Amino acid sequence: MIAAIAIFSLLFAFTSNRNNSRKIKASVIVFEGDSSLFITKEEVNKLLIQNQTSVTDVTKDALDLNNMESLLLRNKMIKDAEVYMTIDGELKVNVTQRKPLARVVGTRSFYIDDEGEEMPLSGNYTARVPLINGQVTNENKQEIFKVLKKITSDNFLKVSVIGISVQKNDFTLRMRANNFKVKLGSADGLDLKFKKLKAFYQKAVKDKSLDTYSWVNLKFSNQVVCTKK
């Protein structure tokens, strides 16, 4: 029995060492969720390669999977990454990209992502999201994010709002289909304000009067104040 155990241990050690010394067959990169590529597979491969010409030139025991994940997560386009080996010797890389909600334009341009953080622009893809101009600062970033979350979570607003102008904590919306602007005011009471906007739209569509207005003001608590052209 002792001899059998010894032989088994030697065989296991030999097999394990031989398996670890094998080179990687291939790397498979999968982008989770949105198919819009702010970072390409080639760029992900470059992050993985580092000093090697290819990950397939590396043996299994030379791979540091945790380090690979850390390198990917340092890229500002990547929200999450998982790197692991499959049984058949492939290196599997699952990448989740960050998701932009709006694009700030001005002297410094960047996206605001779905966690309210700055996200750099990509040379590979431009997201079709509302444009934000005006005073975007660290002080009002949370208020801007609050407005963006409300807009992107509502089907009507997500399709209709194409731009946001910011002056401190005062917001003005630009609409897609009609040539008027919406004075939103502060980020307080957004549910009621957008409820009033939808009610106004329904009535104006019925009256065929949407194109007769230049401003729609939602700042007042119990009414919608409109300015005609």
Side-chain angles (χ1 to χ4, degrees):
M1 183 177 293
I2 295 173
I5 293 173
I7 292 170
F8 178 78
S9 298
L10 287 171
L11 288 173
F12 178 80
F14 174 77
T15 303
S16 177
N17 183 64
R18 185 178 180 183
N19 182 59
N20 288 333
S21 64
R22 288 178 179 175
K23 291 185 177 180
I24 309 303
K25 286 184 178 180
S27 60
V28 180
I29 300 170
V30 178
F31 288 96
E32 306 289 347
D34 197 341
S35 60
S36 303
L37 299 183
F38 297 98
I39 183 171
T40 64
K41 290 184 178 182
E42 290 75 17
E43 290 171 325
V44 172
N45 259 325
K46 286 181 180 178
L47 292 173
L48 295 173
I49 289 170
Q50 292 193 55
N51 296 327
Q52 292 83 29
T53 56
S54 171
V55 291
T56 55
D57 292 334
V58 184
T59 58
K60 289 183 179 180
D61 59 350
L63 282 179
D64 187 340
L65 300 181
N66 290 331
N67 184 54
M68 284 184 167
E69 287 184 359
S70 297
L71 287 170
L72 292 176
L73 291 173
R74 289 176 198 168
N75 187 283
K76 293 185 178 180
M77 297 296 177
I78 296 175
K79 182 177 183 178
D80 195 19
E82 182 183 13
V83 183
Y84 60 94
M85 288 292 304
T86 63
I87 296 175
D88 56 356
E90 286 185 336
L91 180 69
K92 193 75 175 287
V93 184
N94 293 338
V95 176
T96 302
Q97 299 176 101
R98 295 172 67 184
K99 183 179 179 180
L101 299 185
R103 178 177 175 175
V104 176
V105 295
T107 54
R108 192 169 68 90
S109 294
F110 55 89
Y111 292 119
I112 296 176
D113 73 2
D114 59 352
E115 294 183 344
E117 301 298 330
E118 290 189 15
M119 172 182 170
L121 303 184
S122 169
N124 302 312
Y125 180 79
T126 300
R128 297 184 66 181
V129 291
L131 300 179
I132 300 178
N133 59 40
Q135 300 174 347
V136 178
T137 65
N138 289 331
E139 288 70 26
N140 64 7
K141 187 168 66 173
Q142 287 303 314
E143 297 297 290
I144 294 171
F145 182 56
K146 186 177 177 181
V147 173
L148 285 175
K149 286 289 286 183
K150 186 63 65 176
I151 290 173
T152 54
S153 64
D154 184 280
N155 289 333
F156 168 74
L157 297 172
K158 188 176 181 179
V159 171
S160 302
V161 177
I162 61 171
I164 305 172
S165 296
V166 185
Q167 296 297 325
K168 293 186 178 180
N169 288 325
D170 193 84
F171 299 88
T172 300
L173 310 181
R174 297 189 301 280
M175 313 302 287
R176 182 183 304 278
N178 307 101
N179 192 25
F180 62 78
K181 295 180 180 180
V182 177
K183 292 184 179 181
L184 187 64
S186 71
D188 296 329
L190 290 178
D191 288 334
L192 178 58
K193 289 176 180 178
F194 287 132
K195 184 178 180 179
K196 291 190 298 181
L197 179 62
K198 291 179 183 179
F200 160 77
Y201 252 87
Q202 289 179 346
K203 184 179 185 305
V205 167
K206 185 177 180 180
D207 298 341
K208 298 181 179 179
S209 60
L210 273 177
D211 293 327
T212 65
Y213 299 105
S214 59
W215 286 94
V216 175
N217 194 335
L218 306 176
K219 290 183 178 183
F220 302 98
S221 57
N222 294 316
Q223 58 185 330
V224 177
V225 179
C226 302
T227 304
K228 288 200 170 185
K229 294 179 181 177

